[in-house]
Amino acid sequence: MFTETLSRRIRRSALVGVLTGPHGVDRYTEVYDRTWTVNDARAKVVAVRKQTPRSVTLTLQPNDAWRGFKAGQHINLTVEIDGRRRTRCYSPANAEGSPIIELTIGLHDGGLVSQHLYRNAAPGMVLGLDSVGGDFTLPTQRPRRILLVSGGSGITPVLSMLRTLREENFDGGVAFIHYARNREEAAYATELAATPGVTVLHSYTRSDRGDLTGHFGPDHLAAAFPDVEPDAVFVCGPPALVDAVRTHCPDARSESFVPPVFSVSGESTGGTVTFTDSSVTVTDDGQTLLSQAEAAGLTPENGCRMGICHSCTRSKSRGAVRNLITGAVSSADCEDIQICVTAPIGDVDIDL
């Protein structure tokens, strides 16, 4: 009987790797099943539910190439839309070490990927898992009193932390404060309410029906830990929430799901941009290297177009560039850059 175990052994065979070169075994086995890959981490959607009016929760079964993540980290999820691969960052909500991946994706107005998944995600859909990143994680030595704070779809990484602590039979004190616009949009409210040993508080910013009223402040902190200060605070949400928490808890570990803001001058530096692999040279027009490549008829891989997913990373072999988010200028040869948030300064050569 042709079992999945036998299939896995065949795909990992060195001899099969030689016989299927130069494309590799993945390019052949994926014709039969797109998750039958040795090197490319992928996952199949096995369940879809809409627990709030503005989110969709996907349960994914990853293949053997998936190496897992730490609670609080994000993954680069890739989905094909109208023939183009699109990549976005999402934080799993499941505990680390789980055999499945759970993603709850907030519906964003004008969001290409979130809108597509909200409307079209169904069991059997295959998604790419390009990479794992982020240092918004629990310390190895768990603090004894932990405050978890989230806003909107920022609930997923801190819920992953809570679920991980429960899997570890953590016996310290945990409080969880979640902010949502209203009760209907509060994801995981039923699960949190049923979680024993955890103080769970909700605040609804557009109503007074929650356990708390208004925004984070000393009264909310005191409600979570009335007698003692927490040893560690983790917050994920919009910048205003992160700033409020850090004002009262300066050592809080934080992550914001709002993309960075940057502007493009549109003023040419007078240099030329050479895409060496394509033998294409253009005159710098002041836009990002990604925009200039696309204007020249090239189709480099990209995803978020805001410096988050890293799918557009390319090697710069020569020249100076400016990172439009940080403002940093680099002139080192043979360095990797994110072309979606990088503009040239003078003559630049890019391996593309």
Side-chain angles (χ1 to χ4, degrees):
M1 182 177 180
F2 189 72
T3 65
E4 176 64 24
T5 300
L6 177 58
S7 167
R8 187 180 303 117
R9 290 176 179 173
I10 293 174
R11 297 198 305 270
R12 294 184 180 278
S13 164
L15 176 60
V16 170
V18 172
L19 294 175
T20 56
H23 303 294
V25 65
D26 288 353
R27 300 293 78 82
Y28 294 90
T29 57
E30 68 180 359
V31 175
Y32 178 77
D33 187 321
R34 290 184 61 202
T35 62
W36 279 24
T37 52
V38 174
N39 301 306
D40 293 345
R42 296 177 183 173
K44 184 176 293 184
V45 177
V46 295
V48 179
R49 63 190 176 103
K50 294 178 180 176
Q51 56 175 312
T52 76
R54 294 186 59 81
S55 70
V56 59
T57 298
L58 310 181
T59 302
L60 310 179
Q61 180 64 61
N63 65 2
D64 290 342
W66 170 246
R67 296 293 179 261
F69 73 105
K70 292 183 178 180
Q73 288 187 308
H74 60 259
I75 63 176
N76 286 337
L77 187 77
T78 299
V79 57
E80 187 172 300
I81 303 175
D82 297 330
R84 293 190 62 180
R85 296 174 72 243
R86 307 286 184 169
T87 303
R88 298 292 186 271
C89 296
Y90 297 111
S91 296
N94 54 283
E96 61 182 69
S98 171
I100 58 91
I101 301 171
E102 182 178 306
L103 301 178
T104 291
I105 298 168
L107 183 63
H108 298 290
D109 295 335
L112 177 65
V113 173
S114 67
Q115 293 273 354
H116 177 80
L117 292 175
Y118 184 85
R119 293 192 304 266
N120 303 307
M125 175 184 283
V126 175
L127 305 171
L129 308 174
D130 282 352
S131 60
V132 175
D135 56 6
F136 182 66
T137 57
L138 292 165
T140 303
Q141 184 66 40
R142 307 304 198 212
R144 295 304 301 162
R145 295 182 297 274
I146 300 174
L147 174 60
L148 304 173
V149 184
S150 60
S153 58
I155 192 173
T156 52
V158 290
L159 181 62
S160 175
M161 292 178 179
L162 176 62
R163 286 172 164 176
T164 298
L165 292 170
R166 289 188 51 75
E167 286 290 320
E168 297 172 352
N169 295 315
F170 178 73
D171 60 359
V174 180
F176 197 118
I177 304 177
H178 181 61
Y179 296 84
R181 296 193 296 186
N182 51 59
R183 186 187 299 272
E184 292 70 29
E185 295 184 20
Y188 297 102
T190 301
E191 175 185 339
L192 288 172
T195 303
V198 178
T199 299
V200 177
L201 302 166
H202 282 85
S203 180
Y204 305 121
T205 57
R206 298 187 180 181
S207 76
D208 58 359
R209 298 165 57 198
D211 308 296
L212 305 170
T213 301
H215 303 280
F216 186 89
D219 54 334
H220 290 197
L221 179 60
F225 281 94
D227 301 319
V228 294
E229 293 288 326
D231 297 318
V233 179
F234 299 86
V235 53
C236 182
L241 174 61
V242 172
D243 291 344
V245 172
R246 292 183 65 85
T247 295
H248 302 285
C249 307
D251 294 329
R253 296 284 300 277
S254 63
E255 183 166 85
S256 177
F257 55 75
V258 175
V261 177
F262 63 92
S263 60
V264 182
S265 69
E267 297 180 2
S268 172
T269 59
T272 60
V273 179
T274 301
F275 302 105
T276 54
D277 293 348
S278 307
S279 300
V280 173
T281 298
V282 299
T283 301
D284 172 34
D285 63 5
Q287 300 299 312
T288 64
L289 287 164
L290 173 59
S291 295
Q292 296 194 52
E294 291 176 332
L298 305 180
T299 57
E301 181 179 348
N302 67 92
C304 67
R305 303 181 76 94
M306 58 185 70
I308 297 177
C309 73
H310 293 267
S311 62
C312 70
T313 299
R314 293 286 176 171
S315 176
K316 173 177 66 69
S317 53
R318 182 182 69 90
V321 294
R322 174 180 287 106
N323 184 299
L324 298 174
I325 296 176
T326 65
V329 174
S330 175
S331 59
D333 293 340
C334 301
E335 65 173 343
D336 288 339
I337 60 173
Q338 294 171 265
I339 62 175
C340 73
V341 292
T342 303
I345 303 176
D347 296 339
V348 173
D349 291 351
I350 302 291
D351 296 346
L352 173 63

